[in-house]
Amino acid sequence: MLASTSLAAPASNPLLTPSSLPYQAPPFDRIKDSDYVPAFEKGMAEHLAEIRRIANDKAAPTFENTIVAMERSGQLLNRVQNVFYGVYSADKDDAMDAIDSKEAPRLSQHQDEIYLDPKLFGRVRTLWEKRDTLSLTPEQAMLLDVYYKQFVHAGAELSASDQKTLRDLNTRLTKLETAYGQKLVASAKAGALVVDRKAALDGMDDGAIAAAAKAAEGRKLTGKYLIPLQNTTQQPALAAMKDRATRKALFDRSWTRAERGDANDTRKTIAEIARLRAQKAALFGYPDYAAYALYDQMARTPEAVNAFIHKLVPATAAEQHREVAALQKVIAADHQKFALQPWDWTHYAEQLRKQEFALDQDEIKPYFELHTVLTDGVFYAANQLYGITFRPRKDIPVYNPDVMVYEVRDKDGSPLGLMYFDYFKRDNKSGGAWMSNFVGQSDLLKTRPVIYNVANFTKAAPGQPQLITSDDVTTMFHEFGHALHGLFASQTYPTLSGTSVARDFVEFPSQFNENWAMDPKVFAHYAKHYKTGAPMPQALFDKIKKAAHFNQGYALGEIVAAAQLDMSWHELPASAPLQNVDAFEKKALDETGLDVAHVPPRYRSSYFLHIWSNGYSAGYYAYLWTEMLDQDVYSWFMKHGGLTRENGQRFRDMILSKGHTMDYGPMFRAFYGKDPEIGPMLSHRGLTDTDTDTGTGN
Ligand SMILES: [Zn+2]
């Protein structure tokens, strides 16, 4: 299929020229799979030629002929990447798989050619060294600083021999990270629990047992039952299982999945990755990899991350002890005598949840009709806070008939951007939910944001109302929070625009927007029975709110433990010997002060994909950090009148419209009036802050 692509006449390839549709929306009605490869190839060639022209410019470097020229370069490549990867994640076919395999390594080489070009870096450094004499605006100064530091971080300033060592380390690390990912997939598959007797699955419903029988058949184990492993330590199937031996067996399969001493054992690989990362950090003069990786994050240093994690421990541990005692009572009421173990937790917590917070999704769902939630909930909250309005655009082409497009207008009616919503699960869509841009905002390039939200909601049968779960509602508000961050972007330079911010900042606007889903005024506006239009009964609303506080010692504790484990691995000095993975992990977890005997980390070292090959090394804490930021700001809103235009405008002006034009610490402090603190985040989870000094001190 790929062979024919080069035959396409360039003139017929709609990716090669900027779209003439409103907001430069991608012309999905005209783009064919065969257009991508020629556009990628031409895009890379053009970009490289532009970069070479900048690097070889005879004129002395200026901000305009170097930095701005780089910002203007690569527009074709950006366009094809944005369209290809947007559709590839949401609506892929086999041809796109082949295109990705071909282009992904080419793109990473392309990146290296730019960042390891000594002439180009020489120009950037010259400018950076005299930055105080260039009369730059704050945004320009930030842009120059970001470019300089990215080059340095990629190794541009190292000696020739250190650069050789770096390339060597990078190659070895990439190989190990890839090998790790493959072993992990294989070990999770092999880790599935096989059960011989149906009786061992007592408690599971008929549908789940039938699925387990079918899964076993799929592996030629007819007559048996197979429970596949989820990627986390705890396994959802444990909730229903009454047989304690089966529970223990499933938990053990999960906990030791990548530690069986076979070809899929990951321990040697991760110990080696940790060692090489420490060596890489040492090349750059950092004490450890965490210090190297955190340079451009809001937290900035391992000390700030550790201080944050340690502050969460007392309240979390206290809640864990309360939960252990409560579950031990449920076990006693079940006429059992054993002491609670991790494989019992999910099962007895589910019983307690049913007793105290019984939430029946079938009772709730009739109040959550997707289009009503979108227009009367998500859009309504945004209108109340920011004054923006939405209207459907059925004339804009889409890549799949399920996609809905809206035009977003600003408070004064002026155009703001386009929004695509692609909510339903498909077999050819990646899992989870996400937001990104087809077109990024930039005053320099005269582009406005074209943004999409993608999710995996179950589509109703034809003719049935499109009802969704309360988790789906949260997801809609979350992804739209990212969208607002992109829609309100008002940057000159694309590199600093909108959601192009640090990992420990980017989930802050999205998590913040989730809060409005349960705001009484917003909730009453969208949560109406799809048949009668009646509002949800108050008692049911209260139950949903109360249920959100259940089991939070476990839920928070498993993430805190994982975040600590991540930091411990990445604070090893380069001189440390190769670690024994289990001994290292035990020591790191014992030192947390959490009840890890009952609440193990959400991911164990050997199957912690985020930190070994998914770009979250020394970064897993970011999920909790952004929750702190979001709850601090939400508490500020509550103290200042909640859902008002005035509050929304302030948040838009000081955070949502800022992109990365400022350092995150000062940006946050300007809004909140002080450093972030953990109190609001803990009380949001129903935990009590036991620490009097709650500032994070960064
Ligand atoms: Zn998100």
Side-chain angles (χ1 to χ4, degrees):
M1 220 171 279
L2 284 178
S4 65
T5 53
S6 55
L7 301 175
S12 69
N13 188 334
L15 290 166
L16 297 183
T17 47
S19 163
S20 56
L21 292 170
Y23 301 87
Q24 300 188 21
F28 288 117
D29 51 340
R30 297 196 293 127
I31 297 170
K32 303 181 297 296
D33 281 348
S34 56
D35 294 327
Y36 289 119
V37 168
F40 268 118
E41 295 302 320
K42 187 154 192 281
M44 279 186 272
E46 261 186 35
H47 190 206
L48 209 55
E50 289 163 338
I51 291 292
R52 296 256 154 83
R53 262 199 304 280
I54 299 167
N56 296 321
D57 193 343
K58 294 262 178 353
T62 63
F63 186 78
E64 191 66 32
N65 75 15
T66 303
I67 304 296
V68 177
M70 284 169 76
E71 288 291 282
R72 286 187 196 278
S73 71
Q75 290 182 41
L76 169 57
L77 182 57
N78 266 333
R79 189 162 59 237
V80 54
Q81 275 188 288
N82 287 345
V83 174
F84 177 79
Y85 284 106
V87 179
Y88 182 60
S89 308
D91 204 30
K92 76 170 91 172
D93 57 30
D94 292 346
M96 294 186 94
D97 265 333
I99 296 166
D100 176 53
S101 303
K102 179 183 159 78
E103 299 299 336
R106 303 257 301 116
L107 288 165
S108 117
Q109 270 171 16
H110 178 75
Q111 205 62 15
D112 285 351
E113 282 197 65
I114 295 168
Y115 279 102
L116 293 174
D117 181 330
K119 274 198 220 158
L120 186 62
F121 175 61
R123 295 178 75 87
V124 174
R125 184 172 54 193
T126 302
L127 290 169
W128 188 80
E129 280 167 353
K130 56 175 189 182
R131 59 196 177 281
D132 295 334
T133 68
L134 299 176
S135 314
L136 300 176
T137 66
E139 183 177 346
Q140 291 172 332
M142 177 57 95
L143 183 64
L144 176 55
D145 199 54
V146 164
Y147 265 110
Y148 173 72
K149 286 177 178 159
Q150 278 176 357
F151 272 95
V152 171
H153 200 70
E157 218 159 43
L158 298 178
S159 70
S161 78
D162 280 354
Q163 279 189 351
K164 193 189 165 308
T165 311
L166 175 66
R167 268 194 289 268
D168 232 44
L169 283 170
N170 283 341
T171 309
R172 287 164 70 194
L173 276 167
T174 307
K175 275 190 194 148
L176 286 168
E177 287 163 10
T178 307
Y180 171 79
Q182 288 164 353
K183 283 180 188 208
L184 194 57
V185 170
S187 70
K189 190 170 178 219
L193 177 70
V194 179
V195 175
D196 293 336
R197 298 172 307 116
K198 193 175 171 185
L201 301 180
D202 185 23
M204 286 170 65
D205 64 44
D206 292 346
I209 291 175
K214 202 168 169 222
E217 256 170 49
R219 295 206 199 168
K220 302 201 166 42
L221 295 164
T222 305
K224 300 188 179 188
Y225 304 88
L226 184 129
I227 315 282
L229 289 184
Q230 306 291 316
N231 57 357
T232 51
T233 297
Q234 277 296 352
Q235 299 296 308
L238 291 169
M241 287 179 175
K242 288 185 179 165
D243 184 73
R244 192 166 190 237
T246 311
R247 287 202 303 268
K248 181 171 189 317
L250 179 58
F251 184 88
D252 283 344
R253 297 299 291 178
S254 173
W255 186 243
T256 61
R257 70 182 77 178
E259 305 203 356
R260 295 185 191 280
D262 58 11
N264 299 328
D265 193 312
T266 60
R267 284 174 290 185
K268 276 205 183 95
T269 312
I270 64 175
E272 182 70 358
I273 292 174
R275 199 173 65 93
L276 295 183
R277 284 180 180 168
Q279 286 178 9
K280 178 171 168 175
L283 263 189
F284 286 86
Y286 285 99
D288 52 54
Y289 190 80
Y292 169 78
L294 287 164
Y295 87 103
D296 62 348
Q297 300 295 300
M298 180 172 174
R300 282 195 183 279
T301 64
E303 292 71 29
V305 174
N306 290 330
F308 166 64
I309 292 174
H310 291 159
K311 283 199 175 100
L312 294 171
V313 166
T316 309
E319 186 65 16
Q320 289 176 335
H321 297 319
R322 274 192 289 275
E323 287 173 5
V324 170
L327 293 181
Q328 204 65 63
K329 273 192 196 155
V330 183
I331 292 170
D334 197 27
H335 309 293
Q336 305 279 349
K337 285 207 169 61
F338 57 78
L340 176 78
Q341 294 294 332
W343 46 91
D344 303 315
W345 191 295
T346 307
H347 180 70
Y348 287 98
E350 180 59 15
Q351 303 210 348
L352 190 58
R353 193 185 66 77
K354 276 188 185 147
Q355 287 166 23
E356 293 195 8
F357 310 99
L359 274 183
D360 180 355
Q361 285 294 336
D362 291 338
E363 197 186 342
I364 295 170
K365 274 170 88 174
Y367 295 93
F368 297 152
E369 194 283 319
L370 181 120
H371 302 92
T372 314
V373 175
L374 181 65
T375 54
D376 293 348
V378 175
F379 290 171
Y380 172 75
N383 176 266
Q384 295 295 299
L385 289 164
Y386 311 110
I388 56 177
T389 55
F390 304 82
R391 77 182 169 102
R393 287 289 301 251
K394 302 226 188 293
D395 57 321
I396 305 285
V398 291
Y399 55 84
N400 182 290
D402 280 345
V403 180
M404 304 181 285
V405 186
Y406 283 81
E407 180 175 14
V408 190
R409 296 260 171 179
D410 211 339
K411 50 186 188 277
D412 59 1
S414 60
L416 199 55
L418 274 189
M419 273 300 309
Y420 295 58
F421 298 93
D422 179 3
Y423 281 136
F424 302 125
K425 186 191 265 310
R426 280 191 295 275
D427 287 343
N428 63 343
K429 192 189 265 192
S430 302
W434 60 92
M435 164 275 181
S436 193
N437 284 61
F438 285 129
V439 180
Q441 179 278 338
S442 159
D443 291 346
L444 180 75
L445 306 180
K446 301 189 172 54
T447 49
R448 292 183 201 280
V450 177
I451 294 175
Y452 50 91
N453 279 174
V454 181
N456 272 283
F457 304 157
T458 304
K459 192 177 177 177
Q464 294 299 306
Q466 183 55 57
L467 305 180
I468 56 177
T469 67
S470 45
D471 280 351
D472 296 343
V473 173
T474 306
T475 299
M476 287 171 73
F477 277 86
H478 177 99
E479 297 309 330
F480 196 71
H482 286 305
L484 289 168
H485 200 189
L487 285 167
F488 291 146
S490 65
Q491 278 64 60
T492 303
Y493 303 108
T495 292
L496 304 178
S497 180
T499 54
S500 307
V501 295
R503 211 172 34 206
D504 66 359
F505 197 78
V506 75
E507 295 295 327
F508 157 38
S510 52
Q511 298 195 43
F512 170 73
N513 203 54
E514 286 178 27
N515 291 300
W516 303 113
M518 292 303 283
D519 177 89
K521 190 175 167 194
V522 176
F523 192 85
H525 199 257
Y526 74 84
K528 292 177 179 159
H529 198 283
Y530 77 95
K531 262 190 205 153
T532 63
M536 183 181 281
Q538 185 66 33
L540 191 52
F541 175 75
D542 292 343
K543 230 164 149 185
I544 296 175
K545 279 210 118 165
K546 201 173 150 210
H549 285 171
F550 178 66
N551 206 39
Q552 289 301 307
Y554 196 103
L556 182 57
E558 64 169 356
I559 300 174
V560 175
Q564 184 58 66
L565 202 50
D566 169 28
M567 290 305 290
S568 299
W569 275 113
H570 292 108
E571 286 182 276
L572 281 169
S575 57
L578 200 65
Q579 299 298 312
N580 172 306
V581 169
D582 294 304
F584 181 87
E585 176 178 275
K586 183 170 186 327
K587 183 163 181 290
L589 290 174
D590 284 348
E591 285 170 2
T592 58
L594 292 163
D595 186 0
V596 288
H598 291 106
V599 184
R602 185 169 171 83
Y603 304 94
R604 198 181 188 189
S605 305
S606 53
Y607 52 85
F608 204 163
L609 181 68
H610 292 77
I611 69 166
W612 300 121
S613 74
N614 249 7
Y616 266 74
S617 35
Y620 192 70
Y621 78 92
Y623 292 104
L624 296 171
W625 182 276
T626 49
E627 183 179 330
M628 164 173 72
L629 304 180
D630 117 54
Q631 287 305 318
D632 284 353
V633 166
Y634 188 64
S635 74
W636 183 96
F637 267 72
M638 291 302 106
K639 279 183 202 131
H640 293 82
L643 183 87
T644 69
R645 273 288 292 118
E646 196 188 354
N647 288 345
Q649 192 64 40
R650 187 168 185 272
F651 189 57
R652 174 177 174 174
D653 290 344
M654 299 174 86
I655 306 278
L656 291 178
S657 65
K658 288 286 185 197
H660 184 202
T661 56
M662 280 178 80
D663 281 331
Y664 310 108
M667 196 194 297
F668 183 87
R669 260 194 305 279
F671 184 93
Y672 191 53
K674 52 186 166 174
D675 282 330
E677 53 195 354
I678 60 166
M681 162 188 182
L682 291 176
S683 57
H684 176 67
R685 284 181 178 263
L687 272 60
T688 320
D689 186 7
T690 52
D691 194 344
T692 46
D693 165 32
T694 56
T696 55
N698 67 317

